[in-house]
Amino acid sequence: MNKAVLINLGSGDLNSGFPRVTVQLWVSGYSRPQQFVGSLPAAPILVELYRRWQSIYTHLCSRLVDAKEFRKQPIAKYVDDDEDDELEIATEGVTNISQVSFDEVCQLLEENLNIWLNTPKFSSIERQVRSQLDVESEIQVTLETNDDLLRRLPWHCWQFLKDYPKAELALSQPEYIRQVQKQREIQKVRILAILGSTSGIDLAAEQRFLEHLQDAQINFLVNPSQQELNEQLLHPQGWEILFFAGHSQTEGETGRIYVNENSTKNSLTIEELQADLKIAITNGLKLAIFNSCNGLGLANSLEKLYIPTIIVMREQIPNRVAQEFFKHFLSAFALSYLPLYVSVRQAREQLKTLETEFPGASWLPVICQNPAVEPPTWLNIAESVRLILSSEQIYALQKILLNLIGPIAPTLLQQKLTQVGNSEDLVERLLPHLSSSQQVEFQQQVNLFLAQSEVTLEDFEDLVGEQDKIVDEEFIRKSEQILAEVIGPIAPILIQQALSSGNQNPITFVETLAAKISDPQLRLKFQQRVIIIHKINVASD
């Protein structure tokens, strides 16, 4: 069961403390959160340690790697003008830097972050939240703040997140709304991939990774002009994913991307793209990935447009680190169909293997999330794929294949899902990739789990036979969970509307909800999923 933790720090800063911290715990299937209130004291040492960390990181990386290999324009300043003096003092003291001293600062920053978060009036909230979590749950943690320094802290080092392997933290602005997006039938996920200025860096790896996605339609814009970029953002078919690789930088509260290598008109701020990005979001843009340096300024501007999900890098990022992160993220998100938060965590943790050569690599990736919108999954985006089998069925099938043929299973399954129209065709397409003995075992296991989840007209009539019964809380909760998976965060509102007409039996309740789903395929999908849950519950009674 998915769970979400929303942390709002309220007013304050690290120098003065946060007198009112609000934490909400959301559980899928329930339309209302639980809420806890506490506080956090001042922690000026975190300000000092972070600035020390940033200074050493910048100098150490410039010594270990050719500066040209960073995805940042060399002419750009790294820090804001009002911070220059303070950081110049700090950098004068790091002439004898080493990875040992950097590791020490990392450890101090992590230790002091956890000491701060373990203070009594916040740790009491954490204990209450922990009591309702389990280690197998996917946990989306969101920190609502527009404080730049807070957004730069290494929140992934929080012990709470370390204790839950499927937990990851995202940043959010304190204010957010849900934008209405056009729904469309798609055969493939549409990705607009902008490969910007390549001065000193290699973007070919990212292009290869994207080209290997079988169920994606990708338009590569290589060194585009502003007009070319604007035209593509306004494409009437829309894009589900926007990807940028190249040079970028933070400028105050915004960010700049370098889209080509011309001597003039070679870069754009998010504000200059704002009007076109709003239309792209309306047309269905769900995820923006900026695999480039200093992305928090970009994210800050994009969040104000209420884009659902953004992935950026906090600081400067070496070319190879950017490539490795994107490779592992795509593998988890688009090939293994893992949730976005889990995919980012897995990709981030893979970067630890590079930290001997690239210190601090695993500290760089960060999610910025609009809490009013569910983060996308590859299967939610690729609606045509999701309608062949439910996400639970795809996961079960993938597990069977993994046991038989190993790590090639996710890629093979993804390829075949995009080529078939029903589960029988899918099985037939998979069989030639198995040995004779494996084919027999595979067929037996697949027949078993498909039979368990098969839905017929008679199954729907079972609900009709219960027309004298009243829907109970468990049936409502399960229905809301399924509805949210099918149509998104509007599900709780539709549930409340359906319940407002008074006591209902299961068939009336399901029909009322189904009537609110305009897409006939999604409507059928919802009805089928509800019936499957009903069958499981009846069988267990």
Side-chain angles (χ1 to χ4, degrees):
M1 180 180 294
N2 296 344
K3 299 181 180 180
V5 178
L6 269 67
I7 305 170
N8 189 315
L9 297 180
S11 61
D13 56 40
L14 286 170
N15 288 310
S16 60
F18 301 87
R20 181 180 174 85
V21 177
T22 304
V23 177
Q24 292 185 336
L25 174 63
W26 293 77
V27 179
S28 59
Y30 293 93
S31 59
R32 297 290 183 270
Q34 300 175 68
Q35 182 165 298
F36 313 95
V37 179
S39 62
L40 280 165
I45 190 172
L46 292 177
V47 180
E48 299 173 12
L49 285 172
Y50 168 73
R51 288 178 172 161
R52 179 71 174 174
W53 178 93
Q54 185 190 51
S55 178
I56 296 178
Y57 172 79
T58 304
H59 281 257
L60 185 59
C61 286
S62 66
R63 284 177 50 182
L64 294 177
V65 185
D66 186 337
K68 291 182 180 179
E69 294 184 7
F70 282 95
R71 297 192 169 189
K72 163 184 173 289
Q73 285 300 99
I75 60 173
K77 290 185 178 181
Y78 179 59
V79 295
D80 294 339
D81 291 339
D82 59 356
E83 293 179 351
D84 281 353
D85 293 341
E86 186 168 0
L87 284 177
E88 281 172 2
I89 295 172
T91 57
E92 288 173 0
V94 293
T95 54
N96 297 317
I97 56 175
S98 67
Q99 186 161 340
V100 174
S101 62
F102 180 73
D103 290 343
E104 291 174 351
V105 174
C106 288
Q107 183 176 350
L108 281 172
L109 185 51
E110 179 176 344
E111 288 176 354
N112 279 274
L113 176 67
N114 279 287
I115 290 171
W116 180 55
L117 294 172
N118 200 38
T119 50
K121 291 186 179 180
F122 188 79
S123 62
S124 62
I125 296 177
E126 183 180 326
R127 286 194 298 271
Q128 293 181 79
V129 172
R130 281 179 179 266
S131 70
Q132 302 185 55
L133 302 177
D134 61 81
V135 294
E136 296 302 319
S137 295
E138 178 201 343
I139 306 169
Q140 302 169 6
V141 182
T142 305
L143 178 71
E144 298 178 1
T145 180
N146 53 16
D147 184 287
D148 180 66
L149 188 54
L150 280 173
R151 292 165 73 90
R152 291 181 179 273
L153 291 180
W155 290 96
H156 67 281
C157 295
W158 182 13
Q159 190 61 47
F160 174 85
L161 295 175
K162 290 187 173 185
D163 290 343
Y164 296 93
K166 295 182 181 179
E168 182 73 352
L169 184 139
L171 302 172
S172 166
Q173 294 290 330
E175 294 185 6
Y176 41 84
I177 63 172
R178 185 182 302 111
Q179 293 278 50
V180 177
Q181 292 190 312
K182 292 181 181 178
Q183 300 295 321
R184 64 183 186 87
E185 294 183 7
I186 61 173
Q187 296 301 314
K188 292 189 174 183
V189 177
R190 284 175 54 80
I191 302 175
L192 179 61
I194 307 166
L195 304 180
S197 171
T198 59
S199 176
I201 59 175
D202 178 18
L203 305 182
E206 280 103 324
Q207 184 166 349
R208 290 195 302 271
F209 301 152
L210 288 167
E211 288 172 343
H212 288 160
L213 298 178
Q214 298 297 314
D215 55 344
Q217 178 183 342
I218 306 164
N219 184 16
F220 289 102
L221 287 181
V222 181
N223 286 330
S225 65
Q226 180 173 351
Q227 181 178 349
E228 291 171 331
L229 178 53
N230 291 343
E231 288 175 354
Q232 289 302 314
L233 287 173
L234 296 174
H235 197 290
Q237 283 189 305
W239 308 96
E240 281 74 45
I241 298 175
L242 173 65
F243 173 75
F244 173 81
H247 293 293
S248 68
Q249 66 190 58
T250 288
E251 295 182 351
E253 295 185 355
T254 187
R256 180 178 295 275
I257 59 174
Y258 290 79
V259 294
N260 59 56
E261 298 174 16
N262 299 339
S263 57
T264 59
K265 298 183 179 180
N266 57 11
S267 67
L268 293 163
T269 64
I270 297 300
E271 282 70 20
E272 290 176 288
L273 294 170
Q274 179 173 301
D276 296 338
L277 283 167
K278 285 182 177 180
I279 294 174
I281 294 169
T282 300
N283 286 339
L285 183 60
K286 297 173 176 62
L287 172 63
I289 303 171
F290 286 82
N291 209 22
S292 56
C293 286
N294 302 338
L296 285 176
L298 298 169
N300 183 60
S301 294
L302 287 167
E303 286 176 282
K304 294 174 182 176
L305 304 180
Y306 309 115
I307 187 171
T309 308
I310 309 158
I311 299 174
V312 296
M313 301 297 158
R314 281 190 178 91
E315 307 285 347
Q316 297 184 59
I317 184 167
N319 190 55
R320 186 177 162 202
V321 175
Q323 293 172 348
E324 288 296 306
F325 171 79
F326 191 56
K327 177 180 71 175
H328 291 297
F329 171 75
L330 275 188
S331 177
F333 183 66
L335 300 183
S336 297
Y337 305 136
L338 295 180
L340 185 138
Y341 280 55
V342 176
S343 299
V344 170
R345 173 158 181 164
Q346 289 191 2
R348 177 172 55 74
E349 292 184 338
Q350 287 288 336
L351 298 181
K352 292 179 181 179
T353 62
L354 302 177
E355 290 189 331
T356 301
E357 185 176 357
F358 303 102
S362 65
W363 289 40
L364 303 179
V366 60
I367 306 169
C368 295
Q369 179 67 41
N370 178 351
V373 183
E374 284 291 321
T377 68
W378 190 264
L379 294 177
N380 279 338
I381 297 173
E383 201 66 64
S384 58
V385 172
R386 197 164 69 94
L387 290 172
I388 296 170
L389 294 174
S390 70
S391 57
E392 292 89 347
Q393 290 173 322
I394 292 174
Y395 180 71
L397 188 57
Q398 182 172 290
K399 286 184 66 177
I400 295 172
L401 283 171
L402 280 168
N403 291 332
L404 294 174
I405 62 175
I408 194 178
T411 302
L412 176 63
L413 181 57
Q414 183 211 31
Q415 291 173 348
K416 301 308 175 186
L417 278 168
T418 63
Q419 300 169 3
V420 299
N422 56 61
S423 58
E424 290 78 12
D425 289 344
L426 176 61
V427 172
E428 289 298 320
R429 297 254 187 157
L430 290 169
L431 286 174
H433 297 271
L434 308 173
S435 67
S436 298
S437 60
Q438 287 176 331
Q439 287 181 7
V440 174
E441 183 179 353
F442 176 69
Q443 191 79 62
Q444 290 174 342
Q445 293 187 51
V446 169
N447 289 342
L448 177 61
F449 95 78
L450 286 179
Q452 290 174 340
S453 60
E454 185 178 357
V455 178
T456 65
L457 179 61
E458 287 74 19
D459 295 318
F460 194 75
E461 290 174 346
D462 287 343
L463 284 179
V464 179
E466 298 185 3
Q467 57 189 2
D468 293 333
K469 296 183 178 180
I470 301 298
V471 289
D472 57 23
E473 182 178 345
E474 181 66 12
F475 189 86
I476 294 170
R477 187 177 68 81
K478 289 290 186 182
S479 297
E480 181 177 330
Q481 182 178 349
I482 294 168
L483 190 62
E485 292 173 1
V486 172
I487 66 171
I490 197 175
I493 297 174
L494 299 185
I495 290 286
Q496 293 302 317
Q497 291 176 350
L499 291 172
S500 64
S501 58
N503 294 333
Q504 300 184 52
N505 59 50
I507 185 63
T508 303
F509 183 65
V510 172
E511 286 181 339
T512 301
L513 291 172
K516 297 178 181 294
I517 304 174
S518 58
D519 187 307
Q521 289 183 308
L522 293 181
R523 186 186 311 125
L524 177 61
K525 187 73 172 179
F526 168 69
Q527 292 170 322
Q528 291 175 332
R529 296 283 298 281
V530 171
I531 293 167
I532 290 172
I533 295 299
H534 174 71
K535 287 177 65 179
I536 294 172
N537 290 341
V538 170
S540 62
D541 288 343

